[in-house]
């Protein structure tokens, strides 16, 4: 097929927050950059080989789910009960089909299960034991809960719980690093067929109450894709992204107000900030334009476009 | 306070589907109309007494949750496992705060729990055991699962499972009455302070897989409220309402395209139909305009406005 005037592109994030050079060792920074690069390469390779944007975003997300440095899959943060509850979602911009899963405790790759729900069930969203029952019937890998235990996340839980206890005792304000609080990873892509897709996966917030569902698996909030407009994956204070229907709002401002991807994506992050929330998102449109706005000190992020130029950044 | 040039209004639904006069006895029809009237009165009384739209929609939904004829609370349909899993959501158009609950098995009033999540937790959405743990800590009534057993819903499950088994055996198309398939109840209101609110509650679809979450508790899909635009509560094939972000789409077309409530609400139901879905919604705007579009044969619905005129209808 001719690809001369067609564009491809892929963007991903590995979480946004008060990421600052003095809070992260040069070694860790290098490992994070390397993790983002591997994820970007995995999705990019599929796009170059005329694969689908759906396959590309899943490939990128899979790499980050397996990497314990990111808050999704293997490296998921702990709930207040010392357990793990994972959420994920995927959306196909061509068909507007979507799959979403929440409160998983034994699924190695939540994004794989989200895709199975989209492709093999009559439902869009499944959570908890019912979702894991569906996983086992559909050959999605289940794994012992201890797989999700990582020492650095356990220490983060202890730090957050200590900070909350002190804040309660002093009647003071709670100050904890966003890095300890949340993460979330996700990818958006445009393929040579002109199809957009988005995928997001997360362990949620450190010390979240068991049962809490964030914006990641809410179609239109943390994950959205529509060939008419854009594909979006968000990270940050999920509750604000849900209340503002953030992902679909980017699309709606493009479709109904004629805003560019950049304008619409920035406008949504401004609204998140105005309501008191922190976070960011990655966005791509039909023309391969990419936008990566955030209102935090940093966001782990990477992008690659039709020229093959790769860009990976952490800070503003 | 002066109320002369201020408007109030409340609209509610008790489900949409292939409701036809020959499928429903005159006695049952009368009971349904009476149930809708009681729910309408409960919310309307609060608005007249200068109460809030939030209190009004909760009052209306509470009446329908307690009525076994409607698919929410007491009269919830069965899952494929012969169990009950209830969902609900509420949104405050003044603050854009929202509360949402899913996969409840022991909560008498899901809408009461959704409101508690909105007002007393840092989260928007909670599901399953974690949500019920939060309920017990916050004085929300828990009840034995057998409370949700009703003979007519059990028969509906048997009918649907028989129809599905026959369809599988014959390789034929599944034809089941929408009345057996779904329901969902909800209310939207405008109060004398000019605040909009929406509330929705449901047992989901008959024979749904355990773990399935529909559009009801998805903020922006089945439930949405924003003082700048409108309040929305939807009913029907939830998966289509999620994929189209139906509730927020009505709001977005009003805000960004300048459509009237009526135009935007009709446009969304047209999109649902074009994608292959069936259902309807109730909508109200800042000026007290009410719109009740649906693409099914009937929708249980009621409305009351500032003149005090009450209208309750089932068919087109």
């Amino acid at each position: 097929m001719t690809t001369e005037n067609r564009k491809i592109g892929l963007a991903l994030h590995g979480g946004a927050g008060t990421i600052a050079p003095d809070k992260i060792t040069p070694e860790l920074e290098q490992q994070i950059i390397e993790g983002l690069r591997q994820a970007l390469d995995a999705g990019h390779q599929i796009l170059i080989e005329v694969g689908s944007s759906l396959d590309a975003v899943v490939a990128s997300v899979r790499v980050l789910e397996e990497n314990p440095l990111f808050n999704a899959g293997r490296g998921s943060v702990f709930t207040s009960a010392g357990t793990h509850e994972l959420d994920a979602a995927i959306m196909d911009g061509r068909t507007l089909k979507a799959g979403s899963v929440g409160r998983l405790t034994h699924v190695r790759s939540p994004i794989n299960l989200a895709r199975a729900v989209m492709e093999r069930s009559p439902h869009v969203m499944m959570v908890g034991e019912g979702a894991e029952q569906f996983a086992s019937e559909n050959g999605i890998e289940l794994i012992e809960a201890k797989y999700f235990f990582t020492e650095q996340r356990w220490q983060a839980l202890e730090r957050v719980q200590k900070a909350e206890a002190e804040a309660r005792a002093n009647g003071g304000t709670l100050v904890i690093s966003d890095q300890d609080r949340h993460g979330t990873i996700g990818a958006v892509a445009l393929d040579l067929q002109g199809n957009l897709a988005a995928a997001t996966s997360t362990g949620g917030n450190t010390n979240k109450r068991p049962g809490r569902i964030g914006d990641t698996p809410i179609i239109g909030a943390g994950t959205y894709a529509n060939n008419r407009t854009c594909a979006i994956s968000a990270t940050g204070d999920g509750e604000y992204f849900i209340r503002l229907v953030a992902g679909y709002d980017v699309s709606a401002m493009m479709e109904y107000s004629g805003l560019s991807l950049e304008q619409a994506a920035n406008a949504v992050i401004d609204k998140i900030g105005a309501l008191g929330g922190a976070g960011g998102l990655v966005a791509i449109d039909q023309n391969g334009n990419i936008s990566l706005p955030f209102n935090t000190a940093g966001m782990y992020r990477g992008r690659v476009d039709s020229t093959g130029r790769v860009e990976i950044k952490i800070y503003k």
Side-chain angles (χ1 to χ4, degrees), chain A:
Chain A
M1 73 178 283
T2 168
T3 62
E4 282 160 42
N5 40 22
R6 302 250 193 154
K7 294 198 171 168
I8 61 169
L10 191 143
L12 55 78
H13 64 82
T18 53
I19 303 162
D22 61 332
K23 293 190 180 160
I24 187 171
T25 65
E27 293 73 29
L28 180 57
E29 185 174 307
Q30 207 42 54
Q31 288 169 6
I32 287 167
I33 288 173
E34 187 51 33
L36 292 169
R37 188 183 311 280
Q38 287 168 2
L40 204 57
D41 286 349
H44 186 209
Q45 195 58 37
I46 287 171
L47 295 177
I48 290 173
E49 293 169 1
V50 203
S52 74
S53 53
L54 272 180
D55 286 339
V57 293
V58 169
S60 289
V61 165
R62 283 295 296 125
V63 170
L64 295 173
E65 282 180 339
E66 293 288 312
N67 187 330
L69 294 178
F70 297 93
N71 176 18
R74 174 94 172 86
S76 289
V77 299
F78 285 88
T79 69
S80 61
T83 56
H84 293 94
E85 296 189 352
L86 283 57
D87 303 338
I90 189 165
M91 188 159 184
D92 177 350
R94 183 175 66 84
T95 58
L96 299 183
K97 286 190 176 173
S100 156
V101 289
R103 231 188 59 68
L104 307 177
T105 55
H106 296 90
V107 174
R108 178 169 184 158
S109 169
I111 200 65
N112 277 352
L113 181 56
R115 186 169 189 172
V117 168
M118 174 172 77
E119 295 179 342
R120 296 183 236 161
S121 91
H123 300 319
V124 168
M125 185 170 190
M126 298 190 72
V127 302
E129 296 82 356
E132 301 203 333
Q133 175 64 32
F134 178 82
S136 81
E137 291 168 19
N138 284 272
I140 302 293
E141 186 180 4
L142 297 174
I143 204 159
E144 284 182 71
K146 68 180 180 190
Y147 168 75
F148 301 109
F149 182 90
T150 58
E151 185 56 33
Q152 93 267 19
R153 300 302 187 193
W154 183 255
Q155 289 172 6
L157 177 66
E158 289 182 331
R159 276 196 301 274
V160 171
Q161 290 188 333
K162 186 159 168 273
E164 289 198 356
E166 283 172 3
R168 265 195 305 274
N170 305 333
T173 318
L174 176 67
V175 181
I176 46 174
S177 132
D178 282 353
Q179 234 182 315
D180 280 351
R181 275 203 303 138
H182 47 62
T184 297
I185 61 117
V188 294
L190 168 69
D191 65 29
L192 282 170
Q193 286 73 41
N195 293 318
L196 294 169
T200 316
S201 185
T202 189
N205 293 358
T206 294
N207 205 34
K208 69 179 177 184
R209 284 190 68 109
R212 178 258 189 184
I213 300 272
D215 63 316
T216 295
I218 305 298
I219 300 302
T223 306
Y224 186 73
N226 185 337
N227 275 5
R228 297 163 64 107
T229 50
C230 60
I232 305 289
S233 173
T235 177
D237 296 326
E239 280 71 12
Y240 293 89
F241 286 80
I242 295 176
R243 291 164 60 196
L244 290 173
V245 201
Y248 184 63
D249 199 28
V250 177
S251 174
M253 284 192 274
M254 292 175 69
E255 182 169 359
Y256 303 138
S257 296
L259 263 55
S260 70
L261 181 81
E262 180 91 12
Q263 291 169 328
N266 285 331
V268 165
I269 294 301
D270 287 349
K271 288 187 194 183
I272 294 284
L275 209 58
L281 57 82
V282 296
I284 189 167
D285 70 13
Q286 266 278 336
N287 301 314
N289 296 307
I290 289 172
S291 183
L292 312 166
F294 55 97
N295 65 8
T296 48
M299 177 166 82
Y300 301 132
R301 62 200 188 278
R303 53 175 286 172
V304 59
D305 59 23
S306 288
T307 68
R309 189 173 63 91
V310 168
E311 197 172 274
I312 294 172
K313 288 187 177 175
I314 296 183
Y315 314 110
K316 285 247 176 187

